[in-house]
Amino acid sequence: MKTSLTVFVSALYLTFLSSNAIAAGTWTTDSYKGIYGNRTYKVYVPNNLPKNTKAPVVVMLHGCQQNAKDFATGTRIEKWADKEKFIALFPEQNISYNSFKCWNWILPGNNSRM
């Protein structure tokens, strides 16, 4: 009984510590509709970012078969955004435009500017 209680309290303590470390900023999910289709995106804004201040935006393009959440978790970008005070933007590739959710950067039409 004492061992089970110790394990439970330890797990609760670790969960509390990790949730406080991760939940420093605010995540927002939205979508954009334009002439090139619809894209869902996630934005991370650090809590310590001063309001009404221009901040750098870092755009993070996930890999094939990933989504914004997986990519953000793997890169731990939240820590850097909190430390360096920037906004992280994670657009998601729509499966309608690539069945593996890869970005179509390899296509010639996507390698030029208008």
Side-chain angles (χ1 to χ4, degrees), residues 30-96:
D30 209 339
S31 63
Y32 173 79
K33 182 177 182 177
I35 60 172
Y36 296 108
N38 300 331
R39 297 292 185 283
T40 300
Y41 62 89
K42 294 185 184 306
V43 178
Y44 179 77
V45 179
N47 281 339
N48 61 355
L49 190 66
K51 302 286 185 209
N52 300 322
T53 301
K54 291 183 179 180
V57 176
V58 176
V59 179
M60 305 284 291
L61 297 179
H62 62 76
C64 297
Q65 299 182 349
Q66 282 186 315
N67 60 32
K69 183 180 177 186
D70 294 339
F71 191 42
T73 301
T75 60
R76 298 182 300 185
I77 194 70
E78 296 160 328
K79 277 186 162 183
W80 288 104
D82 291 337
K83 180 180 176 186
E84 302 295 331
K85 296 184 171 80
F86 64 82
I87 297 168
L89 171 64
F90 293 81
E92 290 187 316
Q93 176 62 294
N94 188 322
I95 199 165
S96 300

